Amino acid sequence: MEYKISNRLRTGAFILMILGALGVGYGFMDAYSVNEGNITEFLANEDHHGAEHATESHGEEHNVSAAHAEEGHAEEAHDAEAEAEGHEMTHEEHVLHQLHNRPYAALYVAAFFFFMISLGVLAFYAIQYAAQAGWSPVLFRVMEGITSYVLPGGLLVLAVAFIADSHIFIWMDENVVANDTIIQNKESWLNKPWFFIRGLIFLAGWSLYRHFSRKFSVAQDNADVNDNTYFKKNFRIAAGFLVFYIYTESMMSWDWIMSVDPHWFSTLFGWYVFASMFVSGITVIALITIFLKSKGLLSFVNDSHIHDLAKFMFGISIFWTYLWFSQFMLIWYANIPEEVTYFVTRIEDYNLPFFGMVALNFLFPLLLLMNSDYKRIPWFVVMAGIVILFGHYIDIFNMIMPATVGDRWFIGIPEIGSILLFGGLFMLIVFTSLGKYPLLAKGNPFIKESEHFHY
Amino acid sequence: MEASKVIHAIYTDDDVLMSAVKTVKAEKYHIEEIYTPFPVHGLDKAMGLAPTRLAITAFLYGCVGITVATVMMNFIMIQDWPQDIGGKPSFSYLENMPAFVPIMFELTVFFAAHLMVITFYLRSRMWPFKKAENPDPRTTDDHFLMEIAVHNNEESLTNLLKNTGAVEINIVNKDEDAH
């Protein structure tokens, strides 16, 4: 079962990347077309339009509430920034920052989204080894293909973080830190060199595991039938990796995501990000498996494997919802001002994406994948998978955007361009890697059981 | 009352039983019942039993549960006496919904689980003091029993069952009123 990336797929990936790069470039040009010189004019135009629209459609009442929201927003949503500069920042400066942050944040969201898919798959892969699962070895090569994106994807996330600097991580701005005692108290953790060193340590650990696991997996193919040394090695490093992973994944989520709101903290955040990456990863395994199977390359994968993957998609979607709700409800219930601003900004400025993602990530998978028969129908799983992936992009969007662009969000050219750019790269790397070795890990001691897996 | 005759073929191995079921089905005999000491994987498929609809009833019961929870709390907390309890907004159900979700969840599970179990008991006719319908006590330990109705074909049926590896074949007069 050899697979070679087709020219059409490679060309398609390059086209996506070029279109994406153009979109990202346009995003930067568009954002920087507004500067200190013409910001007043820009805002005047905007206010004029806004006011006209408001009076036309809803009359005075709406105007009042809009003004109120604006006021509340300025006070609550961006108190990090405002407070940081001792309330000296003018409205113009504030808006200018948000406009300029947008292309960076769009790039960062997409970079992290595709990276987390491959990291989620790596965790799933390690769990399958550590648990000595009998059903999944036929999917190992697909998983190994997807995890080939961990290293390049992770480096890209760090690179975007490095380039974006204080456009995403407000604590990287020295002027802000100088006036902000809350961030100052966190400086021993949140400082630039330590942030990037930590990032590189995490990445090194993950990609080392990935490297050796792939190596042993391929070596097991060529080993003697009675020689399971490489499998045992893989089992051991998988167990070790999982311990390393659960610590570093948690810290990574504080660093790479939670620190965009340096005034806010939540204890189950690491788990929440984990659930998001895990379910997206499993979904992508299912999608790529179905794609390769439709090409006739995975004849040893049967309905029951798809069924099991769909069960995981279903179960982990509910797990994600459980964590999302636990985080939201605890903070909503206690309503402590320092914690609750996080959700106030999201509910006020991101109402549709914030609650829409609950529908996408919970209601759709719940209803689509509850029926046992539907979980065996490829197109059904693909539909549910697309909804889940879109939902989890929105999830990451909701984590990053409110802290960087505030209410000036839109899913427009910079965002879609970034998705295309990283999506194309993801496809190129993953499918190239899939073509390197046979698609059946024939040396795995569980492979016979897995081929005959029947649910 | 007309006493009908049934044949009881006893097996001691579930694999032999499975292949016997397939042979009997292939010969187009109708299997009345099979008694086993433990679930035999794939037996229902081999016998051609219709899939259970218990999961569908559970889903519907869950829907009833979430409706009961919503209607109940909406009436009590929002409509009947909307007090201000610790500043929680009791103006509409939606506004205070996060606080209700744990109960909505639990009642959904409660209704789905319990009503499904009760449905199972009713459908399988199981209750305390119910007289056991077991034709042979050994089938609760290590024997498997296949029951086939006899319609003047005793001999051919007996031969067929012998060939399938039955260790014991009994012809039993079964009084319809007996159970």
Side-chain angles (χ1 to χ4, degrees):
Chain A
M1 294 303 137
E2 292 283 348
Y3 169 79
K4 274 276 165 277
I5 180 168
S6 64
N7 278 330
R8 219 166 54 166
L9 199 71
R10 189 180 291 132
T11 322
F14 276 117
I15 291 173
L16 288 183
M17 283 160 69
I18 290 164
L19 282 178
L22 288 175
V24 171
Y26 171 81
F28 277 100
M29 270 168 47
D30 191 42
Y32 281 89
S33 66
V34 183
N35 52 37
E36 279 89 356
N38 58 11
I39 179 74
T40 326
E41 200 184 330
F42 173 80
L43 283 173
N45 273 337
E46 199 175 54
D47 281 351
H48 179 66
H49 284 304
E52 203 172 52
H53 178 71
T55 31
E56 260 172 23
S57 53
H58 302 290
E60 223 165 315
E61 213 176 337
H62 181 83
N63 244 340
V64 173
S65 71
H68 176 73
E70 186 74 5
E71 206 174 63
H73 162 78
E75 270 172 21
E76 287 170 353
H78 295 282
D79 65 347
E81 250 173 315
E83 221 174 280
E85 311 214 347
H87 296 279
E88 279 163 14
M89 196 190 263
T90 61
H91 181 57
E92 281 79 10
E93 261 181 286
H94 180 66
V95 170
L96 198 59
H97 277 197
Q98 293 183 332
L99 290 173
H100 288 182
N101 288 349
R102 186 175 160 202
Y104 291 105
L107 211 56
Y108 190 72
V109 170
F112 185 83
F113 175 69
F114 284 99
F115 162 71
M116 85 168 183
I117 289 174
S118 60
L119 188 61
V121 172
L122 191 66
F124 188 73
Y125 176 74
I127 289 171
Q128 300 304 308
Y129 259 113
Q132 304 198 8
W135 68 277
S136 52
V138 291
L139 303 170
F140 277 180
R141 284 292 142 80
V142 175
M143 295 183 209
E144 286 164 17
I146 300 169
T147 56
S148 61
Y149 187 74
V150 167
L151 184 60
L155 287 174
L156 281 170
V157 173
L158 283 178
V160 175
F162 187 77
I163 294 163
D165 204 66
S166 58
H167 282 291
I168 297 177
F169 301 102
I170 190 82
W171 54 267
M172 286 190 185
D173 188 334
E174 278 161 23
N175 299 326
V176 172
V177 178
N179 294 306
D180 188 324
T181 26
I182 295 178
I183 301 182
Q184 277 164 19
N185 291 333
K186 298 182 180 181
E187 243 188 328
S188 57
W189 183 267
L190 288 184
N191 61 72
K192 240 199 262 186
W194 187 209
F195 174 89
F196 286 104
I197 292 170
R198 265 197 318 269
L200 290 173
I201 293 173
F202 302 157
L203 259 184
W206 301 331
S207 37
L208 274 177
Y209 166 69
R210 195 267 161 192
H211 172 78
F212 282 108
S213 185
R214 168 79 151 182
K215 198 175 124 189
F216 295 152
S217 169
V218 172
Q220 183 68 53
D221 269 14
N222 306 319
D224 187 69
V225 193
N226 298 314
D227 178 15
N228 284 332
T229 336
Y230 290 111
F231 175 78
K232 285 179 189 159
K233 280 186 184 169
N234 243 344
F235 171 74
R236 276 190 221 113
I237 61 170
F241 164 75
L242 285 171
V243 175
F244 176 79
Y245 170 80
I246 206 63
Y247 283 102
T248 47
E249 188 276 333
S250 200
M251 286 188 251
M252 176 275 279
S253 73
W254 309 335
D255 279 0
W256 297 5
I257 298 187
M258 203 159 79
S259 81
V260 297
D261 289 288
H263 284 193
W264 183 78
F265 46 85
S266 163
T267 26
L268 64 68
F269 198 74
W271 282 103
Y272 172 59
V273 173
F274 163 74
S276 208
M277 69 168 63
F278 205 50
V279 70
S280 323
I282 294 166
T283 304
V284 170
I285 298 174
L287 294 184
I288 292 185
T289 305
I290 290 171
F291 169 74
L292 291 174
K293 192 169 163 54
S294 74
K295 297 257 169 212
L297 292 162
L298 295 175
S299 51
F300 40 84
V301 170
N302 58 40
D303 282 0
S304 296
H305 294 113
I306 307 289
H307 189 150
D308 258 32
L309 284 172
K311 271 193 282 191
F312 270 107
M313 285 160 64
F314 175 74
I316 309 296
S317 283
I318 290 169
F319 178 64
W320 173 88
T321 316
Y322 166 65
L323 294 178
W324 173 83
F325 183 71
S326 300
Q327 180 167 277
F328 172 67
M329 196 260 245
L330 285 182
I331 289 174
W332 172 86
Y333 212 114
N335 207 20
I336 302 171
E338 67 195 70
E339 288 178 350
V340 87
T341 47
Y342 186 81
F343 288 112
V344 169
T345 46
R346 275 153 185 82
I347 291 173
E348 274 183 4
D349 300 336
Y350 289 73
N351 204 289
L352 181 65
F354 186 66
F355 292 109
M357 85 177 167
V358 181
L360 293 169
N361 293 339
F362 175 60
L363 286 183
F364 272 85
L366 180 82
L367 297 174
L368 289 180
L369 294 176
M370 192 181 313
N371 190 315
S372 185
D373 296 331
Y374 293 168
K375 287 196 275 260
R376 313 180 83 90
I377 305 172
W379 67 264
F380 225 95
V381 178
V382 170
M383 297 278 286
I386 290 168
V387 172
I388 291 175
L389 283 183
F390 180 60
H392 284 281
Y393 172 79
I394 300 291
D395 188 15
I396 306 299
F397 188 85
N398 280 331
M399 292 180 194
I400 302 292
M401 288 298 180
T404 49
V405 302
D407 60 346
R408 297 191 172 268
W409 67 274
F410 191 69
I411 299 190
I413 291 172
E415 286 78 9
I416 294 169
S418 309
I419 294 175
L420 295 182
L421 177 62
F422 288 103
L425 188 69
F426 180 83
M427 271 170 62
L428 187 68
I429 291 178
V430 167
F431 282 97
T432 308
S433 168
L434 276 172
K436 284 197 179 137
Y437 295 102
L439 288 175
L440 180 66
K442 66 174 170 35
N444 192 297
F446 289 108
I447 203 75
K448 276 280 164 299
E449 180 182 340
S450 180
E451 279 181 66
H452 296 119
F453 172 67
H454 167 76
Y455 169 71
Chain B
M1 255 304 139
E2 187 204 350
S4 63
K5 271 203 229 166
V6 292
I7 200 160
H8 280 172
I10 295 179
Y11 300 83
T12 50
D13 187 278
D14 50 339
D15 289 333
V16 179
L17 174 77
M18 280 295 280
S19 66
V21 169
K22 281 169 195 156
T23 319
V24 171
K25 287 299 279 186
E27 296 289 328
K28 302 253 186 285
Y29 285 108
H30 177 69
I31 301 173
E32 297 273 314
E33 194 65 83
I34 293 183
Y35 298 87
T36 65
F38 52 78
V40 177
H41 194 74
L43 187 61
D44 52 338
K45 275 223 178 75
M47 288 171 72
L49 298 182
T52 172
R53 288 168 295 180
L54 212 51
I56 300 169
T57 65
F59 177 78
L60 296 175
Y61 296 147
C63 295
V64 173
I66 201 166
T67 312
V68 167
T70 310
V71 171
M72 173 185 80
M73 288 185 292
N74 183 49
F75 176 71
I76 297 173
M77 303 303 291
I78 310 295
Q79 306 298 331
D80 190 34
W81 199 350
Q83 288 188 99
D84 180 341
I85 303 166
K88 284 279 160 281
S90 52
F91 308 108
S92 76
Y93 192 75
L94 209 57
E95 261 184 305
N96 206 2
M97 191 166 98
F100 300 142
V101 166
I103 295 160
M104 289 160 73
F105 170 77
E106 293 295 348
L107 279 184
T108 309
V109 175
F110 179 88
F111 272 66
H114 289 84
L115 292 180
M116 175 176 72
V117 168
I118 292 168
T119 309
F120 169 72
Y121 285 154
L122 291 175
R123 288 292 286 140
S124 343
R125 320 183 113 268
M126 278 163 65
W127 54 85
F129 312 114
K130 149 116 178 175
K131 197 176 174 304
E133 290 173 1
N134 210 309
D136 190 324
R138 286 176 300 168
T139 58
T140 61
D141 182 16
D142 59 351
H143 283 61
F144 303 81
L145 189 150
M146 188 194 296
E147 183 178 297
I148 301 172
V150 177
H151 305 286
N152 303 322
N153 52 0
E154 262 178 58
E155 217 164 304
S156 59
L157 199 49
T158 313
N159 285 335
L160 174 73
L161 289 171
K162 262 194 190 131
N163 289 334
T164 58
V167 292
E168 200 179 309
I169 293 171
N170 304 319
I171 293 173
V172 183
N173 278 320
K174 196 174 184 184
D175 193 346
E176 288 294 331
D177 280 343
H179 66 104

